[in-house]
Amino acid sequence: MDAAPILEFVAGFGLPGMLAIALAEKFTPVVPSYAILVLLGMTMSTGPALAAAVLATGAGSLAGTMIWYGIGRAVGGRRVERAVDRFGRYVFLGPATYRRLADAYRRNHFRVTLIGQTVPVARIYLALPAGVFRV
């Protein structure tokens, strides 16, 4: 498979598009973020362009995390659990996964946050129970 057309398509979005892609990845984790970031990095030809792309995708990812955190904080534990039970499958967050994350946060916030950043699915949704517990 020739990657050139894909790279041209992605490069056509520019920095705002990269920010939007990183933000959208936090809500629809169909393609892992490391694959998206490698693809976006391949579109950059110079060091400053790569630095700008890193900042744009970092800002998009941070914005997505802040939205998940805000949802958890605003809605509260019981309503988040009901929403995950009812709608979680649409964003690939099963009730069992959410309950494991929430239980882990109850035990040790720091360790869960540190280790959870290495687990792709957990990394995306860690902010939701963090918001519920106001970590």
Side-chain angles (χ1 to χ4, degrees):
M1 179 178 167
D2 185 21
I6 297 170
L7 292 176
E8 288 175 26
F9 176 73
V10 170
F13 287 118
L15 293 178
M18 290 182 187
L19 186 142
I21 289 169
L23 176 66
E25 186 269 335
K26 285 289 189 180
F27 296 97
T28 56
V30 176
V31 178
S33 60
Y34 54 84
I36 292 172
L37 295 177
V38 168
L39 184 64
L40 293 175
M42 290 171 57
T43 66
M44 301 298 108
S45 59
T46 65
L50 181 60
V54 168
L55 289 174
T57 55
S61 181
L62 178 63
T65 298
M66 290 173 60
I67 292 169
W68 276 121
Y69 183 87
I71 290 169
R73 189 172 175 131
V75 173
R78 289 187 184 126
R79 289 175 39 195
V80 165
E81 282 192 33
R82 284 195 309 259
V84 168
D85 286 343
R86 193 166 174 198
F87 303 110
R89 67 180 175 269
Y90 298 117
V91 292
F92 305 105
L93 177 61
T97 302
Y98 174 76
R99 285 188 184 88
R100 279 195 307 270
L101 287 172
D103 289 342
Y105 259 112
R106 284 185 187 102
R107 289 189 303 269
N108 190 330
H109 307 306
F110 179 77
R111 189 174 2 154
V112 169
T113 302
L114 183 67
I115 295 170
Q117 292 302 314
T118 64
V119 180
V121 173
R123 184 185 62 77
I124 292 170
Y125 300 116
L126 277 174
L128 187 61
V132 168
F133 296 117
R134 298 174 187 253
V135 174

